[in-house]
Amino acid sequence: MLQELAIHDFAIIEQLSVDFSTGMTVLTGETGAGKSIIIDAVGILVGGRGSADFIRTGTKKATVEGMFSIPAGALTQNLLQHYGVGSDDDQDTVVLQRELFTSGRNVCRINGHLVNTSTLKAVGETLVDIHGQNEHQELMHPEKHLSLLDQYAADQIKPLLAAYQQRYADWKDLAGRVKERVANEREWAQRLDMLQYQAKEINDAHLQPTEEDDLTSERDRLNHFQQIQDALQTGYGVLNGDDDEAGVIDRLAEAMAALQNIAHLDADYENMAESLGNAYYALQDVGSDLSHQMDGLEYDPARLEQVEDRLATITQLEHKYGATVPDVIAFGQKVNDELDEMNDTQGSSDELKVKLAKAQTEALAAAKKLSATRVAAAKQLSKDIHQQLADLYMAKAVFDVHFTVHEDQLGPTGIDSVEFYIQTNPGEKLRPLARTASGGQLSRIMLALQTLFSQADGVTSIIFDEVDTGVSGRVAQAIAEKISRISRHSQVLCITHLPQVAAMADHQVHIAKTVKSGRTMTRLTPLTGTGRVEELARMLAGTTITKLTKEHAQELLRLAIQDKNAQAKEQTA
């Protein structure tokens, strides 16, 4: 339920804050006072299409904020948890905020958390259901009748529609692939040949990630064999000496022995002897390593040629497929994956056609199941609409849902084309509603549908924006009572010019337009007592309000109380 609404710099509204209550609240006032602007603001708040045109002239942004109460276990709570935007302090309320900037930027928040417009809309749709004058036009467009039927029986149809649409998507995907495969058979074959060649060339190379570095080091050693051999021999000779002269290790051993003889005389001598010992043993290790390297040193021209050839192969592959060996390996994996997809999942044209036929059969079966459920739902809808229309003084009208099934034309919503038909007068033929019903009849039929939808939608706030257009007299009274009944289980906000509807409300707010300092502003005034009688009298008589008009207004309020008391008794019975 919408509890509080705050609007800043939206259209002609500079600043507005209003509290709403349970039951039925009507917004009344002269045409152009800004009643529909408030509904537009609520629509923006719950994820409707935003525009910089909504921003008040001379300001940089418009802000709309609303606080809603949500019942325990409502879908809204599940969505808040799903998107991670629940309130830690109060699980029973949710605060939505939206800012529109002149730059076109949108900022949306749920409970203070930044969200995108899609998330705001997903949550908002569970809170508010807005029905405006333009929704009557849905009845004028037969292509929209199917969605209205699906909405009526959403619990039964929605899962079947989702299952069908998944099979339909699979069928469309396969159909597209078959079409592409047939149309591009030559390109497909060329692509397959190229991938097979690339895969063979890379796979046959048996590349290793560090291979290039290892081979480069080996090639450098072979190319500098003589230099390496000379250096090793020189180092070994200096350390170990020859027949004519002692080497560094032997001379170092003499120095170490001499200092060890005096090490006991002074700590410094002892430290120097120890350092010489460490150097002696370290050089012995180096000498051993030099000897080992010389023993294993061998020049192999054949091996050098093998290394050069291998490096040439790697360079060639790098020129084609990547800057480094790991890049070439990764490219090869990608090629193999694409080959697997082409060979395994795509299959041949014949295999694809077999899959396509199977997918079409499964989609058609799902479509038929969906269609049968729709036919059953249409029969129940006709019965329910008849009851609702009887309450709206159209008891003799006959409503029917006309089906056309196209089993050879699978579409996004199935195989059904649906159009509402109506017989408004006994003895006449059923005719398409879009070409038969008057404006007042359309209003009543749409209200009948909305009454049925509201019982199943689960939203806690329903907004009617002048849905009573084109009616008067007892029909207007019937519409008022119907809207009042809806408000027994959902909060209703209603914009109306009909005094019968306004009188049935539990709360009434008057909206007026004023000019201050050359700027147009909108003002809201809650009406009670005398103020409400005055407003109803204005709605009845226009500019001239007489004592009789006021008495008529009081009578409307008295009769409305009686009707609502009767509704309450029916509900508790």
Side-chain angles (χ1 to χ4, degrees):
M1 182 188 83
L2 177 60
Q3 292 182 318
E4 299 178 23
L5 178 67
I7 304 173
H8 299 276
D9 295 327
F10 188 90
I12 62 172
I13 299 175
E14 180 181 23
Q15 183 171 344
L16 182 151
S17 180
V18 59
D19 295 338
F20 293 102
S21 302
T22 57
M24 177 179 173
T25 299
V26 292
L27 308 179
T28 61
E30 296 290 350
T31 300
K35 301 184 295 298
S36 291
I37 293 174
I38 294 174
I39 305 305
D40 289 339
V42 176
I44 289 292
L45 180 62
V46 295
R49 183 181 297 275
S51 169
D53 294 336
F54 285 117
I55 302 172
R56 193 165 184 259
T57 302
T59 62
K60 294 182 179 180
K61 71 173 182 177
T63 304
V64 184
E65 187 172 12
M67 183 172 74
F68 298 81
S69 62
I70 48 179
L75 175 60
T76 308
Q77 290 185 334
N78 295 334
L79 285 177
L80 294 177
Q81 293 177 1
H82 173 73
Y83 291 116
V85 293
S87 173
D88 296 331
D89 300 327
D90 190 353
Q91 299 294 324
D92 298 328
T93 62
V94 57
V95 176
L96 307 185
Q97 184 189 61
R98 188 169 182 184
E99 296 173 317
L100 305 178
F101 292 83
T102 53
S103 63
R105 185 167 63 96
N106 272 267
V107 177
C108 307
R109 293 183 176 87
I110 299 179
N111 288 328
H113 300 277
L114 285 171
V115 297
N116 57 34
T117 308
S118 298
T119 300
L120 182 70
K121 185 175 182 180
V123 174
E125 286 177 343
T126 68
L127 296 169
V128 177
D129 191 10
I130 300 177
H131 302 281
Q133 301 174 59
N134 61 335
E135 290 201 357
H136 296 170
Q137 299 305 312
E138 290 189 19
L139 294 176
M140 299 298 293
H141 297 283
E143 65 272 13
K144 296 185 178 181
H145 292 179
L146 180 63
S147 64
L148 291 172
L149 174 61
D150 288 352
Q151 185 181 352
Y152 164 73
D155 288 345
Q156 295 79 34
I157 291 177
K158 190 174 182 179
L160 294 177
L161 179 59
Y164 163 74
Q165 288 177 332
Q166 180 59 58
R167 286 173 170 76
Y168 174 76
D170 293 342
W171 172 71
K172 287 288 288 185
D173 177 63
L174 281 168
R177 283 155 57 183
V178 168
K179 182 178 179 180
E180 181 182 0
R181 183 70 176 270
V182 172
N184 301 289
E185 194 72 39
R186 178 178 298 178
E187 293 181 10
W188 182 276
Q190 291 174 346
R191 177 68 176 170
L192 183 63
D193 287 344
M194 183 185 70
L195 291 176
Q196 289 173 338
Y197 172 81
Q198 291 175 336
K200 184 176 187 305
E201 188 175 29
I202 295 173
N203 293 337
D204 288 349
H206 301 292
L207 296 174
Q208 300 299 320
T210 62
E211 181 179 7
E212 187 175 19
D213 291 338
D214 296 341
L215 289 172
T216 300
S217 297
E218 185 178 358
R219 180 189 62 185
D220 291 343
R221 290 194 302 271
L222 290 169
N223 280 332
H224 296 85
F225 172 81
Q226 192 60 51
Q227 182 182 357
I228 293 172
Q229 185 182 53
D230 293 344
L232 292 175
Q233 289 177 346
T234 298
Y236 185 83
V238 169
L239 291 178
N240 292 283
D242 52 28
D243 295 339
D244 298 328
E245 185 178 359
V248 171
I249 293 177
D250 291 338
R251 298 298 302 275
L252 191 58
E254 294 177 7
M256 179 180 65
L259 284 173
Q260 286 177 344
N261 288 333
I262 61 172
H264 64 281
L265 299 176
D266 191 287
D268 290 339
Y269 302 155
E270 183 178 6
N271 291 335
M272 286 186 288
E274 184 177 352
S275 296
L276 284 173
N278 291 336
Y280 172 77
Y281 294 117
L283 289 177
Q284 274 194 327
D285 291 339
V286 172
S288 178
D289 291 340
L290 288 171
S291 176
H292 177 73
Q293 287 288 335
M294 287 189 296
D295 290 341
L297 193 62
E298 180 181 2
Y299 179 68
D300 187 348
R303 176 57 184 167
L304 177 59
E305 184 177 357
Q306 290 176 351
V307 170
E308 292 283 12
D309 290 344
R310 182 62 173 172
L311 285 172
T313 299
I314 291 174
T315 300
Q316 185 181 27
L317 292 174
E318 288 175 340
H319 285 161
K320 291 182 178 181
Y321 307 121
T324 65
V325 170
D327 291 339
V328 175
I329 294 173
F331 183 87
Q333 183 60 52
K334 182 179 178 182
V335 168
N336 286 323
D337 291 342
E338 187 173 350
L339 277 174
D340 289 342
E341 182 179 352
M342 293 179 72
N343 292 326
D344 297 337
T345 62
Q346 297 293 332
S348 66
S349 296
D350 291 339
E351 290 172 341
L352 277 177
K353 289 175 182 177
V354 170
K355 291 180 180 179
L356 176 62
K358 181 181 178 182
Q360 185 174 12
T361 300
E362 292 176 349
L364 182 58
K368 289 180 178 179
K369 185 176 181 180
L370 173 62
S371 181
T373 303
R374 281 174 171 159
V375 169
K379 293 178 181 178
Q380 187 60 46
L381 174 62
S382 297
K383 293 180 182 178
D384 291 344
I385 287 292
H386 287 155
Q387 180 59 51
Q388 295 295 328
L389 292 179
D391 296 340
L392 295 169
Y393 293 98
M394 290 182 67
K396 295 182 180 181
V398 177
F399 179 89
D400 188 50
V401 182
H402 180 74
F403 272 82
T404 303
V405 178
H406 311 276
E407 292 190 7
D408 58 339
Q409 297 179 17
L410 293 175
T413 57
I415 55 176
D416 302 314
S417 292
V418 165
E419 184 171 3
F420 295 158
Y421 275 56
I422 193 167
Q423 178 195 77
T424 56
N425 297 302
E428 296 183 359
K429 292 173 58 177
L430 278 165
R431 299 181 185 277
L433 182 148
R435 300 200 300 266
T436 304
S438 66
Q441 290 168 340
L442 287 173
S443 294
R444 283 179 277 176
I445 294 169
M446 181 55 77
L447 182 58
L449 288 169
Q450 291 163 356
T451 301
L452 297 175
F453 295 161
S454 69
Q455 296 171 359
D457 281 349
V459 294
T460 58
S461 298
I462 301 174
I463 296 177
F464 293 114
D465 185 3
E466 297 189 32
V467 296
D468 47 25
T469 301
V471 299
S472 59
R474 64 176 188 174
V475 174
Q477 182 61 40
I479 286 178
E481 293 173 4
K482 185 66 65 178
I483 295 176
S484 177
R485 288 181 184 276
I486 294 174
S487 72
R488 296 304 100 189
H489 51 78
S490 295
Q491 178 194 47
V492 170
L493 307 180
C494 180
I495 291 178
T496 185
H497 289 286
L498 294 180
Q500 296 95 326
V501 175
M504 286 295 293
D506 302 304
H507 317 281
Q508 186 168 353
V509 178
H510 180 255
I511 300 177
K513 184 169 61 177
T514 60
V515 178
K516 181 179 180 181
S517 301
R519 295 298 304 272
T520 303
M521 304 178 67
T522 295
R523 183 181 71 251
L524 270 68
T525 305
L527 298 178
T528 58
T530 303
R532 191 170 183 192
V533 172
E534 291 282 347
E535 174 63 6
L536 286 175
R538 181 198 64 77
M539 297 175 72
L540 284 164
T543 56
T544 303
I545 300 175
T546 65
K547 179 181 178 182
L548 184 60
T549 309
K550 292 182 180 180
E551 290 176 353
H552 188 186
Q554 291 172 336
E555 179 70 5
L556 279 177
L557 288 171
R558 184 182 64 78
L559 292 175
I561 292 173
Q562 290 180 359
D563 287 340
K564 287 188 286 187
N565 288 338
Q567 290 178 18
K569 289 181 180 179
E570 290 178 10
Q571 192 171 3
T572 56

